[in-house]
Amino acid sequence: MTDRTRRRWHTVGWTLVAVGGFALYLRTVGVDAVAAAVDRLAPTDAAVLVALGWIPILLWGGALHLVLRRLDAPTTLSASVGLFAASSFLNNVTPFGQVGGDPVSGALVARVEGVPFERGFAAIVSVGAANAVAVVALGVVGAGVLIGTAAVDDALLVAVGAGTVAAAALGVVAVVAWRRRERVVDRIGSALGRLLDRIGRWLPGVEPPARSAVVARGRAFVAALERVGDSRRRLVVVLALGVAGHLAVATTLWLSLATLDAPVSLAQVLIVVPVARLAGASPTPGGTASAEALLTGLLVAVGGVGVPVAAAAALVYRSAAFWIPTLGGGVVTALLVVTSGAAYDSRR
């Protein structure tokens, strides 16, 4: 069995797990009660939510455009938006979210734009990092507003405190790793080269790259990241687009709750959104089942929403902000692969 076939079977397996988990989730919260809550959604409200769900793709596609232009990619704004839509699709259909999808997205960017893989991967990682900073910042703002303006129970304070400590710890690790990036790249590249060499011994017909080549590509990746970060003005704009995109995401969830007669403050939603993103790191594609369950629990714990309505809001929100854009991103991905094939072959 080849590596490609094995990966496909893994994806199929985790997809089946996601389907089973989703069915168990619906059975647990009560299918009839959730359906009754969803029936409150008017068609016009549904159309507004679907339209709002595409706004983050447009904004984050604009951020990708700025990054790609700095990396000398011959891209256009529409092409960058399409690439980000495709990247979102890949992140949502591969296990472990961005960890599994970003390398594939980087390869797609490199294929479409005719740049080295290291630049395509760096562009995707840069936008993802900016979005992560943006959503954490909004979560901190939401927690600050909520603590300063309303009575907060001890459980929520503990949750907010733990989240803040975790975010701060990750930030410190990221800063330390970046300051020592040359040493980190050399060590990781060397270790990865050894791993690939061992794998190559067991796979007939596969010639693993030399360790020096792996380290060189790692250095090229870091050099691309350095080029992205050499302009503070560009970074501010990319971060601003990240914040605007996540505000649109939070607004989608907020309106989903409002349309189901479950008003929750925007500050509470800003706390829920970054924590709910953690489900994207689960092995199931797009965090399906785990994302809905986590989001439902957060809406009950943070917003005081009833379980059936919270589940209905989670489904409406995920449909508008996740499932429909993912389907659109899948169509875009197929078009990009087909239309870029001839140009890619001519460059080889």
Side-chain angles (χ1 to χ4, degrees), residues 61-293:
L64 181 60
H65 177 68
L66 292 176
V67 172
L68 286 173
R69 293 293 291 177
R70 180 65 189 95
L71 296 176
D72 299 328
T75 187
T76 62
L77 180 58
S78 59
S80 299
V81 172
L83 282 169
F84 191 86
S87 173
S88 298
F89 165 76
L90 293 171
N91 287 343
N92 293 335
V93 299
T94 54
F96 303 105
Q98 287 181 275
V99 175
D102 277 359
V104 184
S105 300
L108 179 63
V109 171
R111 176 189 177 99
V112 172
E113 297 296 339
V115 297
F117 167 75
E118 294 82 7
R119 290 194 212 171
F121 188 32
I124 293 295
V125 170
S126 298
V127 176
N131 284 346
V133 171
V135 73
V136 170
L138 287 175
V140 171
V141 170
V145 171
L146 194 62
I147 293 173
T149 59
V152 181
D153 58 29
D154 293 338
L156 183 56
L157 283 175
V158 171
V160 170
T164 302
V165 170
L170 289 174
V172 170
V173 171
V175 170
V176 171
W178 180 250
R179 289 184 175 180
R180 303 179 179 180
R181 54 189 176 276
E182 294 182 359
R183 185 184 306 174
V184 171
V185 167
D186 289 346
R187 290 184 177 180
I188 293 178
S190 180
L192 183 58
R194 288 195 298 270
L195 176 62
L196 293 174
D197 184 60
R198 291 179 180 177
I199 294 175
R201 297 175 184 175
W202 292 95
L203 296 176
V206 176
E207 184 67 26
R211 297 180 191 177
S212 58
V214 176
V215 172
R217 300 194 78 167
R219 290 175 178 173
F221 169 72
V222 171
L225 291 178
E226 290 174 342
R227 290 186 63 185
V228 173
D230 64 2
S231 170
R232 291 185 179 180
R233 180 178 299 178
R234 183 184 300 105
L235 283 179
V236 169
V237 175
V238 170
L239 283 171
L241 290 171
V243 170
H246 281 294
L247 281 174
V249 170
T251 302
T252 304
L253 178 56
W254 183 56
L255 290 178
S256 298
L257 289 160
T259 57
L260 298 178
D261 301 324
V264 173
S265 70
L266 187 57
Q268 290 172 317
V269 171
L270 290 177
I271 295 174
V272 168
V273 168
V275 179
R277 279 173 58 93
L278 296 175
S282 68
T284 57
T288 302
S290 58
E292 286 78 13

